């Protein structure tokens, strides 16, 4: 059974090994890889500011279950990295 709470049809996915995003929890992250910096910049332009967090599989692919998290805080460093929550 899939429960959907006003989620957009498409959100960006952040496959981050070892990071676990739980419902109503905050997860501070330091984002420095250019493709994920770009993903965050795109996310900040949307009204929902949601990012999918999914564990990568060993090898290629992603697990089928993840969590959608809302970007609630961010700061940009002088060299273009982001500190987000």
């Amino acid at each position: 059974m899939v429960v959907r709470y006003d989620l957009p049809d498409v959100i960006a996915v952040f496959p981050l090994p070892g990071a676990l995003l739980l419902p109503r929890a905050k997860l501070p992250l330091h984002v420095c890889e250019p493709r994920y910096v770009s993903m965050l910049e795109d996310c900040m332009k949307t009204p929902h500011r949601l990012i999918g967090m999914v564990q990568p599989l060993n090898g290629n692919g992603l697990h089928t279950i993840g969590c959608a998290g809302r970007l609630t805080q961010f700061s940009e460093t002088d060299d273009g990295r982001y500190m987000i929550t």
Side-chain angles (χ1 to χ4, degrees):
M1 180 173 149
V2 174
V3 178
R4 184 174 176 165
Y5 298 100
D6 297 324
L7 293 175
D9 291 333
V10 176
I11 60 173
V13 174
F14 196 0
L16 191 58
L20 183 61
L21 178 61
L22 299 172
R24 290 177 285 291
K26 294 184 179 191
L27 179 63
L29 295 172
H30 172 221
V31 181
C32 58
E33 191 171 334
R35 64 183 167 167
Y36 296 122
V37 167
S38 178
M39 178 191 72
L40 285 175
E41 290 169 345
D42 289 343
C43 174
M44 287 187 270
K45 295 174 188 173
T46 67
H48 53 72
R49 291 190 168 186
L50 292 174
I51 296 174
M53 296 287 297
V54 179
Q55 290 293 304
L57 292 169
N58 292 338
N60 292 330
L62 301 171
H63 282 275
T64 57
I65 296 175
C67 190
R70 186 175 315 279
L71 181 62
T72 58
Q73 290 182 311
F74 71 93
S75 62
E76 187 176 4
T77 63
D78 291 338
D79 60 354
R81 297 173 289 128
Y82 283 101
M83 305 297 287
I84 66 169
T85 303

